[in-house]
């Protein structure tokens, strides 16, 4: 799933870009989900929904908060977002390195360049898919890099993904998640699945991730301790 947003303070420019994109997107797996009429609106939304968008087309020359300022603010909340600047000038190309922009497209955007860009985005997304995990719940959809996930824990019918930026509940079975993420995550308890990369300390009874200490049950103890210790020493399972 590729989730796209557009940000431009000119409605005609947004409409033109959306029209071009809609002819190129793959149905049921790619869609334009949000449009913003200003940088301020975009920043306000991303504060509440980090990780919910994969690709942002961002106009540079906007009134108020311009595109570069908007990108800098968004980067503070979302490191994974792919940003493509849309501009009428080529003076800003090198500025994009500050915010990790994927590319620049000059207005008017040509269909050929836009199609080529989408090809690169699709290839990049496919490469990262195996190293990411997506959560869907009533509040939205988030995609996390596996390295940003600390652990999962189950509570009745729900599972909670605990990341460096917070907790995200969703309906699932921890057993299924364990199979999906093997060997990158290790089961230490009936309720806990941890990322060895983020374990700071372990002993025979528990593992510690930052300020959190999780119990390691007898059932999983031997295998879990061996895998986590190896990951801590070698960086691999």
């Amino acid at each position: 799933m590729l989730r796209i947003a557009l940000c431009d303070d000119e409605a005609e420019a947004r409409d033109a870009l959306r029209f071009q994109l809609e002819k190129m997107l793959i149905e049921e797996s790619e869609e334009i989900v949000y449009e913003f009429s200003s940088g301020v609106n975009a920043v306000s939304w991303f504060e509440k929904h980090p990780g919910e968008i994969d690709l942002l087309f961002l106009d540079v020359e906007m009134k108020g908060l311009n595109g570069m300022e908007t990108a800098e603010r968004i980067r503070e909340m979302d490191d994974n977002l792919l940003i493509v600047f849309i501009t009428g000038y080529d003076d800003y190309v090198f500025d994009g390195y500050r915010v990790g922009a994927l590319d620049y497209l000059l207005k008017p955007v040509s269909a050929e360049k836009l199609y080529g860009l989408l090809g690169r985005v699709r290839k990049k997304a496919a490469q990262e898919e195996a190293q990411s995990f997506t959560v869907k719940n009533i509040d939205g959809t988030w995609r996390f890099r596996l390295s940003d996930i600390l652990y999962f824990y189950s509570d009745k019918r729900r599972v909670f993904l605990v990341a460096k930026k917070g907790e995200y509940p969703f309906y699932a079975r921890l057993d299924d998640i364990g199979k999906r993420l093997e060997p990158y995550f290790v089961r230490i308890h009936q309720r806990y699945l941890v990322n060895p990369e983020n374990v700071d300390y372990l002993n025979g009874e528990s593992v510690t991730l930052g300020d959190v200490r999780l119990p390691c049950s007898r059932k999983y103890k031997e295998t879990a301790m061996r895998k986590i210790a190896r990951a801590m020493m070698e960086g691999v399972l």
Side-chain angles (χ1 to χ4, degrees), residues 173-191:
R173 296 176 67 247
L174 199 61
D175 287 345
D176 295 336
I177 297 173
K179 292 176 183 178
R180 152 79 171 81
L181 296 180
E182 189 179 6
Y184 303 107
F185 280 67
V186 176
R187 191 73 171 264
I188 64 168
H189 188 279
Q190 190 65 26
R191 295 186 59 205

Side-chain angles (χ1 to χ4, degrees), residues 3-9 13-19 21-22 32-38 42 46 53 55-59 62 86:
R3 301 156 299 176
I4 302 170
L6 315 178
C7 183
D8 196 313
D9 58 355
R14 290 199 311 274
D15 292 342
L17 181 58
R18 183 181 66 251
F19 180 72
L21 283 168
E22 287 175 342
I32 300 169
V33 292
Y34 289 102
E35 294 186 29
F36 305 105
S37 59
S38 72
F46 273 95
I53 295 296
L55 173 62
L56 173 65
F57 287 92
L58 182 58
D59 182 39
M62 293 189 295
I86 308 295

